[in-house]
Amino acid sequence: MRPMPSFDPRRVPVVNDPGDTGLPLAHADRMTAEGMRSLFASPPQWVPELRREPRFMDRPPADAAVLIPLVMRDDLTVLLTQRTQHLSTHSGQIAFPGGRLDATDADATAGALREAEEEVGLSPSHVEVLGSLPQYVTGSQFTITPVVALVHPEHTIRPNPHEVDLVFEVPLPFLMNPANHRRHQVDFDGVQRQWFSMPYRDGDTEHYIWGATAGMLRNFYRLLSA
């Protein structure tokens, strides 16, 4: 398999899809701590939009887990990281805390909590796990279990400088508004590849959320709008 060349995702055109027109808003009452607890205690019938990306890397499959940390501020926020540039996969991209599962991890939840503590210093004592979203398979051959959790606002962050350049938060209502979801498409080696982006501007800084992270957030939106 010929590896997909490096490219700037910001330069890939936005495409219009009829299915993106007239999408419902996420239910506001679910975007609170109590609403999230109720949602995962008794989830509605729903279908994830995205399950598997076209493969673009010739490597053995691996199991992974990420934490979707919802910080309990006045409005819930999502804690995200920007990966360092020297990492072997998805370098420089915005991501959830997480990574490959270890043999010592009891399950995906344990792996997500371990990785979050290793990457950003988030203590499990400040985390209330709610449940998980369906697995998401990346083009780099990771099968990811997204674990959703509430995070106490008095948590402390200690980023691992080897893995994380930046830790920041984005308001959950922004990420769950389909008007902020952009669909992109590129053809490579005869394979059509689509992904979402959700650029978030904080003052003079643009956090360009795209790829697998945006795909899992899109699935989260599908749950919250079901």
Side-chain angles (χ1 to χ4, degrees), residues 98-196:
R100 185 192 300 262
L101 294 183
D102 285 352
T104 55
D105 292 326
D107 52 25
T109 296
L113 292 173
R114 174 186 55 75
E115 283 284 346
E117 188 167 25
E118 291 176 0
E119 285 187 10
V120 301
L122 180 60
S123 170
S125 64
H126 286 113
V127 178
E128 177 187 342
V129 173
L130 300 175
S132 60
L133 300 181
Q135 289 182 327
Y136 183 100
V137 182
T138 69
S140 53
Q141 292 291 84
F142 285 102
T143 299
I144 301 174
T145 300
V147 177
V148 182
L150 296 172
V151 176
H152 195 281
E154 295 182 1
H155 69 278
T156 57
I157 292 296
R158 297 182 305 278
N160 179 340
H162 177 74
E163 298 185 57
V164 175
D165 270 343
L166 179 69
V167 179
F168 61 98
E169 296 176 27
V170 179
L172 180 64
F174 174 88
L175 294 170
M176 295 298 101
N177 186 342
N180 298 322
H181 301 177
R182 302 177 181 178
R183 188 186 296 267
H184 302 259
Q185 179 178 305
V186 68
D187 294 325
F188 177 71
D189 275 359
V191 178
Q192 184 184 92
R193 303 179 187 275
Q194 286 195 358
W195 65 85
F196 285 95

Side-chain angles (χ1 to χ4, degrees), residues 20-100:
D20 294 335
T21 302
L23 289 174
L25 296 175
H27 295 287
D29 60 344
R30 293 177 178 171
M31 290 190 286
T32 65
E34 281 305 316
M36 286 290 173
R37 293 184 182 108
S38 297
L39 175 66
F40 280 89
S42 183
Q45 292 290 325
W46 73 289
V47 178
E49 181 173 348
L50 304 168
R51 287 279 197 166
R52 180 182 294 271
E53 300 174 354
R55 185 160 61 106
F56 60 76
M57 190 174 291
D58 193 12
R59 58 179 295 162
D63 290 327
V66 298
L67 192 69
I68 301 183
L70 305 176
V71 184
M72 293 185 288
R73 307 204 185 278
D74 291 340
D75 289 320
L76 292 179
T77 64
V78 180
L79 186 148
L80 294 165
T81 73
Q82 182 168 323
R83 294 163 60 83
T84 52
Q85 292 291 342
H86 65 265
L87 294 175
S88 60
T89 57
H90 307 287
S91 60
Q93 293 185 19
I94 290 172
F96 300 114
R100 185 192 300 262

